[in-house]
Amino acid sequence: MSFEQAVLVFADPLAEIEDDSMHEDGRYTILGRPYPLKRDVLFVVYVEVASNEVRLISARHATKHERRRYEEGR
């Protein structure tokens, strides 16, 4: 997957964002589809560096469990 695809997850209106409390550096995770491509569900880890600027830490395809959680809306 490309960086460009991972960034599109932030435009998914159904994306789920969670605070990653396991890390103390303010990490968040987002689970969603690269919108408007609507391809595979992605799991992206990021930190906010400014009010509307983020730094991606990692991105990967969602596991079966994560994909099911996204499709069921939690």
mmCIF file of all heavy atoms in Angstrom, residues 7-17 30-38 70 73:
data_model
loop_
_atom_site.group_PDB
_atom_site.id
_atom_site.type_symbol
_atom_site.label_atom_id
_atom_site.label_comp_id
_atom_site.label_asym_id
_atom_site.label_seq_id
_atom_site.Cartn_x
_atom_site.Cartn_y
_atom_site.Cartn_z
ATOM 1 N N VAL A 7 -3.173 7.881 3.620
ATOM 2 C CA VAL A 7 -3.669 9.217 3.972
ATOM 3 C C VAL A 7 -5.165 9.338 3.706
ATOM 4 O O VAL A 7 -5.889 10.020 4.433
ATOM 5 C CB VAL A 7 -2.880 10.297 3.200
ATOM 6 C CG1 VAL A 7 -3.502 11.668 3.353
ATOM 7 C CG2 VAL A 7 -1.437 10.323 3.669
ATOM 8 N N LEU A 8 -5.670 8.652 2.682
ATOM 9 C CA LEU A 8 -7.082 8.740 2.322
ATOM 10 C C LEU A 8 -8.013 8.150 3.385
ATOM 11 O O LEU A 8 -9.211 8.419 3.379
ATOM 12 C CB LEU A 8 -7.334 8.049 0.972
ATOM 13 C CG LEU A 8 -6.684 8.714 -0.243
ATOM 14 C CD1 LEU A 8 -6.912 7.876 -1.480
ATOM 15 C CD2 LEU A 8 -7.202 10.133 -0.426
ATOM 16 N N VAL A 9 -7.477 7.375 4.320
ATOM 17 C CA VAL A 9 -8.296 6.809 5.403
ATOM 18 C C VAL A 9 -8.928 7.927 6.239
ATOM 19 O O VAL A 9 -10.035 7.796 6.741
ATOM 20 C CB VAL A 9 -7.443 5.868 6.282
ATOM 21 C CG1 VAL A 9 -8.174 5.448 7.524
ATOM 22 C CG2 VAL A 9 -7.041 4.654 5.482
ATOM 23 N N PHE A 10 -8.241 9.063 6.341
ATOM 24 C CA PHE A 10 -8.756 10.178 7.133
ATOM 25 C C PHE A 10 -10.025 10.784 6.534
ATOM 26 O O PHE A 10 -10.766 11.470 7.225
ATOM 27 C CB PHE A 10 -7.675 11.251 7.305
ATOM 28 C CG PHE A 10 -6.546 10.801 8.184
ATOM 29 C CD1 PHE A 10 -5.414 10.212 7.641
ATOM 30 C CD2 PHE A 10 -6.620 10.943 9.558
ATOM 31 C CE1 PHE A 10 -4.376 9.785 8.454
ATOM 32 C CE2 PHE A 10 -5.595 10.515 10.386
ATOM 33 C CZ PHE A 10 -4.473 9.927 9.819
ATOM 34 N N ALA A 11 -10.293 10.534 5.267
ATOM 35 C CA ALA A 11 -11.510 11.054 4.617
ATOM 36 C C ALA A 11 -12.682 10.090 4.723
ATOM 37 O O ALA A 11 -13.797 10.443 4.324
ATOM 38 C CB ALA A 11 -11.219 11.357 3.149
ATOM 39 N N ASP A 12 -12.475 8.905 5.259
ATOM 40 C CA ASP A 12 -13.545 7.910 5.389
ATOM 41 C C ASP A 12 -14.516 8.350 6.488
ATOM 42 O O ASP A 12 -14.135 8.439 7.656
ATOM 43 C CB ASP A 12 -12.946 6.547 5.729
ATOM 44 C CG ASP A 12 -13.990 5.444 5.882
ATOM 45 O OD1 ASP A 12 -15.207 5.722 5.773
ATOM 46 O OD2 ASP A 12 -13.586 4.291 6.122
ATOM 47 N N PRO A 13 -15.776 8.628 6.137
ATOM 48 C CA PRO A 13 -16.739 9.074 7.152
ATOM 49 C C PRO A 13 -17.061 7.995 8.189
ATOM 50 O O PRO A 13 -17.580 8.297 9.259
ATOM 51 C CB PRO A 13 -17.977 9.454 6.344
ATOM 52 C CG PRO A 13 -17.845 8.737 5.050
ATOM 53 C CD PRO A 13 -16.377 8.561 4.804
ATOM 54 N N LEU A 14 -16.756 6.741 7.899
ATOM 55 C CA LEU A 14 -17.033 5.647 8.832
ATOM 56 C C LEU A 14 -15.789 5.207 9.605
ATOM 57 O O LEU A 14 -15.845 4.241 10.360
ATOM 58 C CB LEU A 14 -17.611 4.453 8.072
ATOM 59 C CG LEU A 14 -18.893 4.727 7.289
ATOM 60 C CD1 LEU A 14 -19.304 3.484 6.509
ATOM 61 C CD2 LEU A 14 -20.002 5.175 8.213
ATOM 62 N N ALA A 15 -14.683 5.898 9.423
ATOM 63 C CA ALA A 15 -13.430 5.523 10.089
ATOM 64 C C ALA A 15 -13.570 5.609 11.603
ATOM 65 O O ALA A 15 -14.306 6.445 12.128
ATOM 66 C CB ALA A 15 -12.296 6.423 9.622
ATOM 67 N N GLU A 16 -12.857 4.728 12.281
ATOM 68 C CA GLU A 16 -12.861 4.688 13.745
ATOM 69 C C GLU A 16 -11.498 5.145 14.247
ATOM 70 O O GLU A 16 -10.479 4.543 13.910
ATOM 71 C CB GLU A 16 -13.119 3.268 14.239
ATOM 72 C CG GLU A 16 -14.441 2.702 13.814
ATOM 73 C CD GLU A 16 -14.603 1.253 14.249
ATOM 74 O OE1 GLU A 16 -13.728 0.716 14.951
ATOM 75 O OE2 GLU A 16 -15.615 0.653 13.868
ATOM 76 N N ILE A 17 -11.480 6.196 15.054
ATOM 77 C CA ILE A 17 -10.240 6.723 15.622
ATOM 78 C C ILE A 17 -10.222 6.405 17.103
ATOM 79 O O ILE A 17 -11.216 6.601 17.803
ATOM 80 C CB ILE A 17 -10.138 8.243 15.407
ATOM 81 C CG1 ILE A 17 -10.104 8.552 13.911
ATOM 82 C CG2 ILE A 17 -8.899 8.799 16.113
ATOM 83 C CD1 ILE A 17 -10.129 10.019 13.585
ATOM 84 N N ILE A 30 -6.327 4.724 13.504
ATOM 85 C CA ILE A 30 -7.530 4.926 12.702
ATOM 86 C C ILE A 30 -7.734 3.681 11.850
ATOM 87 O O ILE A 30 -6.784 3.154 11.267
ATOM 88 C CB ILE A 30 -7.450 6.213 11.848
ATOM 89 C CG1 ILE A 30 -8.767 6.452 11.092
ATOM 90 C CG2 ILE A 30 -6.259 6.206 10.919
ATOM 91 C CD1 ILE A 30 -8.882 7.822 10.459
ATOM 92 N N LEU A 31 -8.947 3.213 11.825
ATOM 93 C CA LEU A 31 -9.329 2.023 11.084
ATOM 94 C C LEU A 31 -10.363 2.460 10.060
ATOM 95 O O LEU A 31 -11.422 2.981 10.414
ATOM 96 C CB LEU A 31 -9.923 0.996 12.052
ATOM 97 C CG LEU A 31 -10.272 -0.382 11.552
ATOM 98 C CD1 LEU A 31 -9.020 -1.111 11.052
ATOM 99 C CD2 LEU A 31 -10.933 -1.181 12.663
ATOM 100 N N GLY A 32 -10.062 2.293 8.779
ATOM 101 C CA GLY A 32 -11.011 2.725 7.761
ATOM 102 C C GLY A 32 -10.561 2.370 6.361
ATOM 103 O O GLY A 32 -9.503 1.782 6.149
ATOM 104 N N ARG A 33 -11.387 2.742 5.409
ATOM 105 C CA ARG A 33 -11.083 2.499 3.996
ATOM 106 C C ARG A 33 -10.516 3.782 3.396
ATOM 107 O O ARG A 33 -10.955 4.873 3.748
ATOM 108 C CB ARG A 33 -12.343 2.108 3.235
ATOM 109 C CG ARG A 33 -12.924 0.778 3.651
ATOM 110 C CD ARG A 33 -14.077 0.388 2.727
ATOM 111 N NE ARG A 33 -14.777 -0.784 3.201
ATOM 112 C CZ ARG A 33 -14.386 -2.026 2.976
ATOM 113 N NH1 ARG A 33 -13.294 -2.253 2.286
ATOM 114 N NH2 ARG A 33 -15.082 -3.044 3.438
ATOM 115 N N PRO A 34 -9.576 3.641 2.460
ATOM 116 C CA PRO A 34 -9.056 4.833 1.780
ATOM 117 C C PRO A 34 -10.156 5.437 0.898
ATOM 118 O O PRO A 34 -10.483 4.898 -0.146
ATOM 119 C CB PRO A 34 -7.871 4.319 0.970
ATOM 120 C CG PRO A 34 -8.055 2.845 0.884
ATOM 121 C CD PRO A 34 -8.920 2.434 2.032
ATOM 122 N N TYR A 35 -10.770 6.498 1.359
ATOM 123 C CA TYR A 35 -11.912 7.115 0.698
ATOM 124 C C TYR A 35 -11.416 8.104 -0.343
ATOM 125 O O TYR A 35 -10.528 8.889 -0.035
ATOM 126 C CB TYR A 35 -12.767 7.826 1.748
ATOM 127 C CG TYR A 35 -14.072 8.337 1.241
ATOM 128 C CD1 TYR A 35 -15.159 7.500 1.113
ATOM 129 C CD2 TYR A 35 -14.218 9.659 0.877
ATOM 130 C CE1 TYR A 35 -16.364 7.966 0.643
ATOM 131 C CE2 TYR A 35 -15.419 10.133 0.403
ATOM 132 C CZ TYR A 35 -16.486 9.291 0.291
ATOM 133 O OH TYR A 35 -17.672 9.746 -0.181
ATOM 134 N N PRO A 36 -11.873 8.147 -1.536
ATOM 135 C CA PRO A 36 -13.043 7.493 -2.112
ATOM 136 C C PRO A 36 -12.733 6.157 -2.788
ATOM 137 O O PRO A 36 -13.620 5.589 -3.421
ATOM 138 C CB PRO A 36 -13.536 8.503 -3.131
ATOM 139 C CG PRO A 36 -12.288 9.128 -3.644
ATOM 140 C CD PRO A 36 -11.361 9.174 -2.441
ATOM 141 N N LEU A 37 -11.515 5.642 -2.663
ATOM 142 C CA LEU A 37 -11.154 4.398 -3.343
ATOM 143 C C LEU A 37 -11.941 3.197 -2.840
ATOM 144 O O LEU A 37 -12.220 2.278 -3.583
ATOM 145 C CB LEU A 37 -9.653 4.122 -3.182
ATOM 146 C CG LEU A 37 -8.712 5.196 -3.697
ATOM 147 C CD1 LEU A 37 -7.277 4.807 -3.410
ATOM 148 C CD2 LEU A 37 -8.928 5.438 -5.172
ATOM 149 N N LYS A 38 -12.269 3.202 -1.537
ATOM 150 C CA LYS A 38 -13.051 2.133 -0.905
ATOM 151 C C LYS A 38 -12.440 0.759 -1.144
ATOM 152 O O LYS A 38 -13.126 -0.206 -1.420
ATOM 153 C CB LYS A 38 -14.507 2.176 -1.352
ATOM 154 C CG LYS A 38 -15.190 3.447 -0.938
ATOM 155 C CD LYS A 38 -16.669 3.385 -1.195
ATOM 156 C CE LYS A 38 -17.302 4.684 -0.733
ATOM 157 N NZ LYS A 38 -18.724 4.677 -0.830
ATOM 158 N N TYR A 70 -14.653 -3.052 11.907
ATOM 159 C CA TYR A 70 -15.003 -1.888 11.085
ATOM 160 C C TYR A 70 -16.348 -2.099 10.398
ATOM 161 O O TYR A 70 -17.200 -1.217 10.413
ATOM 162 C CB TYR A 70 -13.908 -1.653 10.048
ATOM 163 C CG TYR A 70 -14.270 -0.614 9.018
ATOM 164 C CD1 TYR A 70 -14.091 0.737 9.288
ATOM 165 C CD2 TYR A 70 -14.800 -0.973 7.785
ATOM 166 C CE1 TYR A 70 -14.439 1.700 8.340
ATOM 167 C CE2 TYR A 70 -15.150 -0.031 6.840
ATOM 168 C CZ TYR A 70 -14.969 1.302 7.127
ATOM 169 O OH TYR A 70 -15.314 2.255 6.203
ATOM 170 N N GLY A 73 -19.259 -1.806 12.667
ATOM 171 C CA GLY A 73 -19.392 -0.536 13.367
ATOM 172 C C GLY A 73 -19.052 -0.644 14.834
ATOM 173 O O GLY A 73 -19.611 0.033 15.665
#
